[in-house]
Amino acid sequence: MASEEPERRPLLAATSGALDAGVAGADTRQRTGSGEEGRGATGTFKRNLGTLEAFAIVISIVIGSGVFTSPGSIDTNVPSPGAALLIWFVGGVLAWTGASTMAELGTAIPGEGGVQPYLKYIFGDVFGFLAAWTWVVAVMPATLAILSIVFVESIYSAAGVTDQGGTLLHKLLSIVVLSVISVANSISTKASTRLNNFFVVTKFVTIAAIVFAGVVVVILQLVDRNRTVGGGDWVKQPWFGYRDSANPDGSVTHWADVTQWELFGYLSAALYAALWAYSGWDKAIYISAELSSPARQLPLAINTSIPTIILCFITANAAYYILLPWNVVSRTDSVAVTAITRLLGPAFGILAAVLICLVVAGSLLGNSFVAGRMAVAAANQSWLPKPLSIVGRIGFKPEERETTSDAPVNAIIVSTILSSLYILLGNFRALLTFNGLGEYTFFFLTVVGAIVLRYREPQLARPYKPLIAIPIVFALVSGFVVVRGAVFAPIPAVVLVGLWVAGLVFYFVRRRYQERGLE
């Protein structure tokens, strides 16, 4: 029973503090690990989601713009199409190792807010706060800004317009798209999940259409070997043989002349792009507090959704190499639209662009859904102002009467405002690096914490426990991603550090106010 369990002190936790007092009871309940009944009693949201909803949310978030835009940046950094497919596979397996470790923590230390309760439990309150601050102020707004920009860029590409990402009209249209999705998420959890299920079907249909086109080309080529269907290179050149790569800037990479150290640099850049395409693999844990049986449903959702995504990504990219000449893949950022347009004509290319817009909209909806819940979780821990924890309406004080909606409207509004600022002040590539640095810093800390917890608290109930090698592998990779990102993009790294400093100031000032009873 929870009352008989010895108290477990976080690795770096303070000995006292008013900030911890309000959530101490909740933490004690969370530490029991395997018990599931009543865990959601003190939570903001009802436990009315199941495995299918969790599966759909992960699919909806991960299968976004990445599989349609990343192939070019991966292809230009590998010596062969076969190597590109291996990078997609390795990136998926690495995402799976991270998701498995998160599932272990999610079933052992349940709570709202994803990595926030895990870091608080393992390292102390200030680490939980910094994770919450980073996600609410930086990671999720940057993610929503990126997806809104990609949505509008897809429309522009379908119309044959390029290089407009920095214009005011492009940015304002991105904000309009973001606002529409935010309104959709402000209705209720059920409405959001139903709409999300529609977008999941759209994603599978889009990828299935691309793969089907590739299969048809293969069949036609096998029936008549004298004709050239699709790109042609797939049947004329070895898939794992070195070939010169055409780059977007017009230069050419001669792989036979590349040194081993240079090859490592290229491959690491390709892996970085693949990991971005798989970003969102962690999002199932952010709704674990809303699952009716998280110990069973969370691992099941992760271990079905991630392999499904890996299969979708590899088959879609194999189809790109069949449908297009190989020197075209590396030079386009709209590989799916380019492939369908080349095969079936401009009208089908426009249809493909529409489907990709729907795919991106689904990813935007899923991320917006999660973003609001992260802010609610942080507010419930007294890390952020309490009005952010209010659900069902706009306001500063909770009402006694029960509302028909359970959507975190206040939190969604704040997330939308921050995302709009990122759209106005940033650009796609800078936001992408900024987002990756913020995410993987805390992925690294969380997975290292899971390893620490294995030895510090071996008796902790873990309904799901992967091999220790799994978190170790992911810790090494995530650490590499953070260091590489900071070295190659120091400006976003400095901005992120500045946000952390500002967050710590906010944390300690807020704590001082709480100790004085001013809040």
Side-chain angles (χ1 to χ4, degrees):
M1 295 177 63
S3 59
E4 299 173 347
E5 188 178 16
E7 181 165 0
R8 305 188 183 100
R9 288 190 38 73
L11 189 65
L12 302 176
T15 56
S16 63
L19 197 63
D20 296 332
V23 295
D27 284 348
T28 302
R29 285 192 299 274
Q30 288 174 356
R31 292 169 189 168
T32 58
S34 59
E36 296 199 5
E37 294 300 323
R39 272 186 191 164
T42 60
T44 303
F45 304 100
K46 297 177 182 178
R47 289 192 176 278
N48 58 0
L49 299 181
T51 306
L52 182 60
E53 286 83 3
F55 172 89
I57 286 172
V58 175
I59 293 289
S60 181
I61 290 175
V62 177
I63 301 181
S65 61
V67 69
F68 306 110
T69 58
S70 287
S73 58
I74 291 176
D75 183 76
T76 196
N77 284 296
V78 294
S80 68
L85 296 181
L86 285 177
I87 288 290
W88 280 102
F89 176 75
V90 171
V93 171
L94 290 174
W96 198 355
T97 62
S100 294
T101 305
M102 296 297 181
E104 174 186 344
L105 293 173
T107 55
I109 313 170
E112 298 175 338
V115 301
Q116 302 172 23
Y118 314 153
L119 288 171
K120 176 184 176 182
Y121 180 78
I122 299 168
F123 297 119
D125 192 75
V126 70
F127 281 83
F129 164 79
L130 275 178
W133 174 266
T134 303
W135 251 263
V136 172
V137 176
V139 170
M140 291 312 299
T143 299
L144 296 175
I146 290 168
L147 291 170
S148 301
I149 292 169
V150 170
F151 184 97
V152 175
E153 189 63 33
S154 298
I155 297 174
Y156 273 56
S157 297
V161 180
T162 59
D163 300 326
Q164 296 295 307
T167 64
L168 181 60
L169 178 60
H170 192 290
K171 291 176 180 290
L172 291 177
L173 287 174
S174 300
I175 293 173
V176 169
V177 170
L178 172 67
S179 300
V180 171
I181 294 296
S182 298
V183 170
N185 264 327
S186 299
I187 300 172
S188 70
T189 296
K190 279 298 181 184
S192 296
T193 52
R194 285 170 183 166
L195 185 57
N196 187 68
N197 290 340
F198 162 74
F199 283 124
V200 168
V201 173
T202 303
K203 292 169 188 285
F204 283 135
V205 168
T206 304
I207 290 179
I210 293 170
V211 173
F212 178 73
V215 171
V216 169
V217 167
V218 170
I219 293 173
L220 292 175
Q221 184 70 59
L222 292 177
V223 170
D224 185 358
R225 294 181 178 274
N226 294 322
R227 66 187 296 185
T228 298
V229 187
D233 288 335
W234 68 274
V235 76
K236 298 175 184 177
Q237 299 187 42
W239 281 67
F240 285 92
Y242 278 14
R243 87 308 190 211
D244 293 340
S245 296
N247 301 315
D249 60 3
S251 63
V252 176
T253 302
H254 302 285
W255 291 102
D257 301 329
V258 171
T259 66
Q260 289 297 317
W261 179 249
E262 289 173 334
L263 180 61
F264 175 77
Y266 280 114
L267 293 179
S268 66
L271 182 59
Y272 197 84
L275 289 174
W276 176 76
Y278 282 103
S279 64
W281 51 261
D282 60 305
K283 293 303 186 289
I285 62 171
Y286 293 95
I287 59 163
S288 61
E290 298 173 66
L291 295 175
S292 57
S293 180
R296 178 178 59 85
Q297 294 166 332
L298 183 60
L300 182 59
I302 287 173
N303 290 324
T304 52
S305 60
I306 303 297
T308 301
I309 292 164
I310 294 172
L311 178 63
C312 288
F313 282 12
I314 291 176
T315 53
N317 277 275
Y320 295 147
Y321 285 112
I322 292 170
L323 296 171
L324 289 171
W326 290 353
N327 64 349
V328 173
V329 175
S330 60
R331 292 185 295 182
T332 177
D333 288 329
S334 303
V335 63
V337 175
T338 304
I340 297 300
T341 301
R342 181 182 175 87
L343 182 68
L344 300 174
F348 282 93
I350 292 173
L351 177 61
V354 170
L355 288 174
I356 291 169
C357 283
L358 291 175
V359 168
V360 175
S363 188
L364 189 55
L365 181 81
N367 276 286
S368 176
F369 182 87
V370 168
R373 280 150 173 77
M374 298 174 75
V376 168
N380 284 338
Q381 294 281 357
S382 295
W383 289 330
L384 295 178
K386 276 296 180 184
L388 290 178
S389 66
I390 296 174
V391 298
R393 66 181 187 86
I394 301 172
F396 293 95
K397 292 184 179 180
E399 291 184 351
E400 295 293 333
R401 61 184 179 87
E402 188 172 334
T403 60
T404 57
S405 171
D406 58 352
V409 183
N410 285 347
I412 290 173
I413 290 173
V414 171
S415 177
T416 303
I417 292 172
L418 290 173
S419 301
S420 298
L421 291 174
Y422 279 107
I423 291 171
L424 291 171
L425 301 176
N427 62 70
F428 177 80
R429 292 188 181 276
L431 289 172
L432 193 62
T433 303
F434 180 72
N435 172 273
L437 283 171
E439 272 193 323
Y440 273 88
T441 297
F442 286 95
F443 288 160
F444 172 75
L445 288 174
T446 303
V447 174
V448 167
I451 298 170
V452 169
L453 212 57
R454 287 281 188 103
Y455 295 96
R456 194 181 79 190
E457 296 183 22
Q459 79 283 6
L460 179 66
R462 294 175 173 85
Y464 180 74
K465 186 179 179 181
L467 295 173
I468 188 65
I470 288 177
I472 289 175
V473 168
F474 186 80
L476 293 173
V477 173
S478 56
F480 164 75
V481 168
V482 172
V483 172
R484 183 192 180 278
V487 169
F488 284 91
I491 294 178
V494 169
V495 172
L496 189 62
V497 171
L499 280 175
W500 289 337
V501 172
L504 289 173
V505 171
F506 176 85
Y507 173 83
F508 287 110
V509 169
R510 183 172 174 80
R511 182 167 181 162
R512 182 65 59 87
Y513 270 71
Q514 288 174 323
E515 289 173 346
R516 292 179 178 177
L518 297 178
E519 183 172 302

